[in-house]
């Protein structure tokens, strides 16, 4: 009778256990439940595991909960995670949803400030899509901007830094007409400049006279 009661108490104790991740391999992990007890390889719970799948492997030392049906630890399921001294809460605000990564990257949304930020120290961000649309009334780029394809600008654009265009520029006036391109400052060209069919370097002048008289205008 005492043996049966002892087994029952052990099974009840094993229904819900707190522990820390001891090892991770693939989509399974082992959990250290005490100084001398470590589970077999168990699966951990994830938000989605069907046609839509998520992945975020637990970290060694991360505190978790192990749920074991019938108290059988060999059939346990790992439920991440609980804050601990080793991995404390990264934020204290109730308006912030954030993810902190071990390389220092932080993706965060503050719904009180309506601010979405992504800090990727020394990293890159890549978006692959057939089309990307930004409906923001104002977009600011504080660093260099490199466009490998064509750049089509249909409305006014302000560039405060130097602009290098390796594929040429094709400027066309808007539907209301007017000037296609207005430049405030000096234009330098290493080659010829054409106005219609008139060459800046090679156009002839009419009405040329000797002395100090000025020549006539360029001829087409």
């Amino acid at each position: 009778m005492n043996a049966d009661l002892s087994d029952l108490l052990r099974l009840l104790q094993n229904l819900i256990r707190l522990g820390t991740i001891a090892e991770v391999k693939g989509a399974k992990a082992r959990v250290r439940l005490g100084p001398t007890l470590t589970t077999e390889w168990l699966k951990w719970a994830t938000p989605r595991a069907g046609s839509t799948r998520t992945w975020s492997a637990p970290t060694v030392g991360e505190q978790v909960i192990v749920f074991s049906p019938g108290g059988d630890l060999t059939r346990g399921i790992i439920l991440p995670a609980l804050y601990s001294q080793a991995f404390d809460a990264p934020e204290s605000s109730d308006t912030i949803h954030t993810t902190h990564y071990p390389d220092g990257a932080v993706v965060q949304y503050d719904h009180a400030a309506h601010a979405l930020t992504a800090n990727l120290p020394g990293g890159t961000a890549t978006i692959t899509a057939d089309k990307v649309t930004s409906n923001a009334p104002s977009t600011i780029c504080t660093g260099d901007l490199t466009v490998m394809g064509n750049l089509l600008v249909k409305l006014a654009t302000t560039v405060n830094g130097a602009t290098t265009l390796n594929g040429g520029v094709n400027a066309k006036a808007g539907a209301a007409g007017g000037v296609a391109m207005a430049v405030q400052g000096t234009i330098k060209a290493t080659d010829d400049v054409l106005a219609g069919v008139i060459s800046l370097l090679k156009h002839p002048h009419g009405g040329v006279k000797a002395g100090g008289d000025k020549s006539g205008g360029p001829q087409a």
Side-chain angles (χ1 to χ4, degrees), residues 1 31 41 46 89 109 119-120 130 142-144 184 198 212 215 218:
M1 183 67 179
V31 181
W41 292 103
T46 183
Y109 180 67
N119 296 320
L120 311 176
D130 292 336
T142 59
D144 296 338
Q184 299 178 3
I198 300 177
S215 66

Side-chain angles (χ1 to χ4, degrees), residues 7-17 67-76:
D7 288 341
L8 180 60
L9 292 176
R10 178 180 56 82
L11 293 175
L12 289 175
Q13 183 183 28
N14 288 338
L15 285 174
I16 303 176
R17 295 288 297 266
F67 291 96
S68 301
D72 184 359
L73 288 175
T74 63
R75 296 191 297 143

